[in-house]
Amino acid sequence: MFLLLEEQLRLFLDPIKGLMIGQGEAVANLYVLDVGSDLQTPSRKSPFISIVVDSALWHNRLGHPSDYRTDFVTDVLGIKNINKRRLPCAICPLAKQKHLSFDSKNNMCANAFDLLHIDLWGPFSVQTVEGYKHFLTIVDDHTRVTWVYLLRTKDEVLRIFPEFLKMVETQYSCKVRGVRSDNAPELKFADLYKEKGITAFHSCPETPEQNSVVERKHQHILNVARSLMFQAKVPLEYWGDCVLTAVFLINRLPTPLLKDRTPFETLTGKKLDYKGLRVFGCLAFCSTSSKGRHKFQPRARPCIFLGYPTGYKGYKLLDLETNKVHISRNVVFHEDIFPFAKDQDEPLLDIFHQMPDSSSSFSPTSLGINIPVVDCPVSPVVENVDTSKVASSMEESEHLVDNGSGKRSSKPPAYLDDYYCHMQQAQIPYPLAAYLSYEELSDDYKAYICSVNIHAEPSSFTQAKKFEEWLAAMNEELIALEKSDTWEICSLPDDKHAIGCRWVYKTKLNADGSLERYKARLVAKGYTQREGVDFVDTFSPVAKMTTVKTLLAVGVLRN
Ligand SMILES: [Zn+2]
């Protein structure tokens, strides 16, 4: 007998005596039995129960980190030593170009925000559905917390970076003391640095390795973003969501550089809660609002999970029906179904492959503005959310996604795979079209075949009565039948039953395939008669009149 108490599972041998033989905790929709806990039944020391917590699932949720980092998280979650050996992952080799070595701790600053590493990435050839082409990466040297801002144009940096400095002052009561960047002219904020008293460090020309912290971080972000994209087969124009989710996850994974603490913990001192993490790009059913919903409207809508929006205790979802983005807390996930995966049949693209090397791609541009999409290391629960900004960014993202909806081909979502749908692009292994072709036919015959197919014949009265031409044909047939006195109306004898009749429609064509006329025939449904009941013989003995005459003639001759 099981007893579920909030997040606790208790297992009883005997519900009346209340003999507990085990207990466990809820971990991500599973109740994990704590086998090590003291059991009241010494005779049954280890119940024959093993609950498998799929570490592969956690590997997917965390954006395909190394086993070392996955293990750390599963340890934190209390899933110790359960099913640790997972099957080799099919996504990791595709997504990761090389193993990144951890860089040395030698030159790390002593305090948070003593030194920031900043770099710009892009432009990427495919812009996101929201129109972003670049991202700005900011790494804090001491905590290694990473912030990423998606940008439409490079010059948006000029607005975002000062805002970031202000955010640090307000949220962490710290002042940034130094900033390291490469020689990108966009990132030379001379006046700003002077005003704030910030020391600027620039790499020497042609030596981007001096900016290695952020270069390495870019590689790491792109590795994780690629694995998220490949895992869910997300279309390329969603790379922004992959990058933001990658950074969200990277900030929450431990690193040896920080003595196995996570960047997030190092900065905030808060313990992390991994329970809300879900597999990126999976199918998610989001509850519909009960407001204005009638009894027979669906209770949930199918969506695709696109990450953890900043400032919300919720999930970013792309509605599969409306193609709009929204944020919701009431979501049921199907973490093994990827709706986008069934959308694309083409082989995996090596995304970001064509991206320019970030250290060498800068060109001077003018200065400008824009709204950031921020991944800040603060957990998705942020208490003081500026509601006006929230609303406007929501509207904007909906609007933009809406604009992009024309581009995305609408194919059936994966959850319909188990059904035969008319919309389904049938996966026929040997389609007839591949073997049967009209190509070899002469032009005349091709024209004939086509013209034959133009005229559809209705199969029932219900279909035919919608067309003037078939109504006319039926009237013509009825007049003909009346004229030839085909029937006489009378009452049906008691022990007989009437057989019905039906219409048969035929189009008569001329020799060249053009229409001659529409022909309707009223026929008796002879097939409804049963042998022995409605008829006895299927034939009657008949004789030709010539035979009868011959017989009479022979009789006369012989007297
Ligand atoms: Zn993997």
Side-chain angles (χ1 to χ4, degrees), residues 441-455:
L441 302 178
S442 68
D443 287 349
D444 285 353
Y445 195 55
K446 234 187 268 179
Y448 174 75
I449 299 262
C450 292
S451 64
V452 165
N453 289 328
I454 288 169
H455 313 286

Side-chain angles (χ1 to χ4, degrees), residues 56 59-60 63-66 86-93 95-96 227 231:
H59 178 73
N60 292 349
H64 299 259
S66 63
R86 56 178 177 82
L87 291 168
C89 173
I91 304 296
C92 285
K96 297 175 188 174
S227 61
Q231 156 188 293

